[in-house]
Amino acid sequence: MLITSLFFLWGVALNLNPILIPHLKKACELTDFQSSLVDSASYFAYFVWPIPAAFIMKRFGYKGGILIGLVVFACGAFLFYPAASVRSFVFFLSALFVIFSGAAFLETAANPYITVLGDPATATRRINFSQSFNGLAATLAPLIGGLFILSGKTLSVTQKAGMTHDQLNTYLNKEASAVQLPYFIIGLTVLTVAILIFRTPLPNIVEEDIEEEIDGIRKTKRNLFFLVTGIIAQFFYVGAQAGVLGFFIRFSERVVGLGEKTAAVFLTVAALGFMVGRFSGTFLMKYINPVKILATYSLINVVLLIVAVMLHNQLSIYALIGVAFFMSIMFPTIFSLSIRGLGSLTKLGSSFVIMGIVGGALMPPLMGFVSDLSNIRYAYLVPIISFLYIFFFAYLNFKVKKVKLVVAH
């Protein structure tokens, strides 16, 4: 139960980002490019820490690594309080990097660790059960953020021009302070879990020698090819996920004219669709080749993104909700295809694939740059590149008949 709670914790933090992006854009008076750095600060931590985390956990064990991750996570959440007090975007980005540095430790540890906490015969069922709480977090986080962080009040340029300097500062400070209580509660919750895990005896795991694993991967050229192409696919997928959901509220406001609170409700529906898509996709894989599903879903998302860009009404929002549904199975499927056949090298290969999450740090700024140059609609053409590459990755793996889903993000 304690290890399963970790899946929920990092899921909440990650899925609050689509709320933070429009909120901090307003509170700190940012461009779309600047606001996209919320995702960059978060996902870059996943690139920095998986391999160091593997070495640290080899030295101190999985329990030690998890405790380090939880304490770092909590510190980052507490940093939101002073960041909001001084209304510094750089401070917010630093706090996010700290949060997700902790989350990177947790994700690197929890996925393999949950598989050994019980009967080996039920390991797959156990990890899929734990991952369902990550999906629950994806659904609840936008709803909670929409209720307690977003004010629903956005000032136009004309309204700002009619305010005195003190009036504008009062408004902006009030907006910034909305994140203080939610993230303080998150910090306290994470510390509570850390204390419970510290007081709970957990089994230790003897890991393979990492240096030997690196040498082994170099000698396995064919599997290395699929690992590398899989890391690139994961890079593009996470970049697309972060971009599509990160700008969802801004897209809803500008293209459809929705208020930010109403847009947050639609974002919650998209997150729910993501969770339903993951469960239904996993069910379909019992009867249909998972690689064919991956290829089909990637092409469907290309079409849906074109529809979202072409239309100027609420149907474009429904198209983006559809994108969330059809991209739901991509992370675990790409992950499993990438590490297939690595044998004893699987854990190190998994760390490299997790590093591919850095795509979430780079794709949103590119979308923000396109949005600032033109408009938010054209920014949604960028993820099309991601889904086309994922189709290519599926094509490379078309001979694979069966895929064992072992991890989800």
Side-chain angles (χ1 to χ4, degrees):
M1 289 174 62
L2 287 172
I3 302 304
T4 294
S5 72
L6 305 181
F7 289 77
F8 182 80
L9 291 176
W10 80 62
V12 167
L14 196 59
N15 288 283
L16 277 176
N17 277 4
I19 297 295
L20 282 179
I21 288 174
H23 181 73
L24 294 181
K25 182 182 190 302
K26 179 173 54 173
C28 298
E29 299 184 292
L30 309 171
T31 65
D32 280 335
F33 172 78
Q34 290 170 325
S35 66
S36 71
L37 297 179
V38 165
D39 275 331
S40 298
S42 304
Y43 286 102
F44 187 66
Y46 281 103
F47 178 75
V48 172
W49 288 110
I51 299 302
F55 279 99
I56 290 172
M57 283 182 276
K58 179 178 174 62
R59 172 68 178 83
F60 297 103
Y62 274 86
K63 182 175 181 178
I66 289 170
L67 288 174
I68 291 171
L70 287 169
V71 171
V72 172
F73 190 127
C75 288
F78 290 139
L79 285 174
F80 263 67
Y81 203 96
S85 297
V86 297
R87 196 160 45 87
S88 167
F89 185 54
V90 173
F91 204 155
F92 277 120
L93 294 181
S94 301
L96 282 166
F97 182 80
V98 174
I99 286 176
F100 288 98
S101 293
F105 269 81
L106 299 182
E107 191 153 354
T108 302
N111 284 303
Y113 196 54
I114 195 71
T115 63
V116 301
L117 296 179
D119 184 355
T122 59
T124 302
R125 188 188 314 164
R126 193 159 51 250
I127 193 170
N128 277 283
F129 172 76
S130 297
Q131 289 159 7
S132 68
F133 286 85
N134 188 273
L136 178 64
T139 303
L140 292 179
L143 181 62
I144 295 170
L147 288 174
F148 297 103
I149 294 178
L150 298 179
S151 66
K153 183 180 180 181
T154 303
L155 298 181
S156 65
V157 176
T158 304
Q159 288 174 314
K160 287 183 180 180
M163 300 173 73
T164 66
H165 181 267
D166 288 342
Q167 287 175 328
L168 180 59
N169 264 343
T170 299
Y171 163 75
L172 295 176
N173 288 335
K174 184 177 181 181
E175 289 291 331
S177 66
V179 302
Q180 290 178 317
L181 182 59
Y183 276 86
F184 187 76
I185 292 173
I186 289 173
L188 288 179
T189 303
V190 171
L191 275 187
T192 301
V193 173
I195 292 170
L196 291 173
I197 288 179
F198 177 75
R199 296 175 61 85
T200 302
L202 297 176
N204 194 23
I205 307 173
V206 178
E207 292 293 320
E208 300 91 350
D209 185 82
I210 292 177
E211 289 80 2
E212 291 181 6
E213 290 191 359
I214 293 174
D215 186 57
I217 283 184
R218 287 171 182 158
K219 294 177 182 177
T220 316
K221 292 183 179 179
R222 183 176 180 277
N223 291 335
L224 178 61
F225 171 77
F226 287 107
L227 176 62
V228 171
T229 55
I231 293 169
I232 296 171
Q234 207 65 281
F235 173 93
F236 277 115
Y237 165 70
V238 177
Q241 178 188 333
V244 168
L245 298 180
F247 285 105
F248 187 97
I249 290 178
R250 297 299 297 160
F251 183 94
S252 302
E253 290 177 320
R254 294 183 185 179
V255 177
V256 187
L258 300 179
E260 63 178 9
K261 279 189 171 289
T262 304
V265 173
F266 277 97
L267 178 60
T268 301
V269 174
L272 181 62
F274 184 91
M275 183 172 68
V276 172
R278 179 160 287 174
F279 282 114
S280 62
T282 302
F283 174 77
L284 286 176
M285 287 178 188
K286 293 181 179 180
Y287 308 100
I288 304 173
N289 184 343
V291 179
K292 291 183 178 180
I293 295 177
L294 180 64
T296 303
Y297 278 18
S298 59
L299 289 181
I300 289 174
N301 275 351
V302 169
V303 174
L304 287 174
L305 285 170
I306 293 174
V307 169
V309 171
M310 297 293 291
L311 298 179
H312 297 185
N313 53 41
Q314 203 157 303
L315 288 176
S316 60
I317 299 297
Y318 298 144
L320 292 184
I321 291 173
V323 172
F325 176 90
F326 287 109
M327 70 181 176
S328 58
I329 56 94
M330 292 185 179
F331 187 97
T333 307
I334 293 169
F335 193 103
S336 298
L337 288 169
S338 303
I339 63 175
R340 183 174 52 87
L342 291 179
S344 63
L345 313 176
T346 298
K347 289 178 182 175
L348 184 62
S350 299
S351 296
F352 288 134
V353 178
I354 289 175
M355 289 174 70
I357 291 174
V358 74
L362 302 179
M363 188 75 71
L366 180 57
M367 291 180 66
F369 180 72
V370 172
S371 178
D372 288 333
L373 283 181
S374 53
N375 62 63
I376 193 73
R377 285 194 302 117
Y378 294 130
Y380 272 81
L381 293 172
V382 175
I384 289 176
I385 301 170
S386 296
F387 293 118
L388 287 175
Y389 179 84
I390 292 169
F391 174 79
F392 171 71
F393 174 74
Y395 173 78
L396 292 177
N397 287 272
F398 220 64
K399 292 183 179 180
V400 178
K401 302 299 182 185
K402 205 171 182 183
V403 179
K404 181 180 179 182
L405 299 184
V406 295
V407 67
H409 183 66

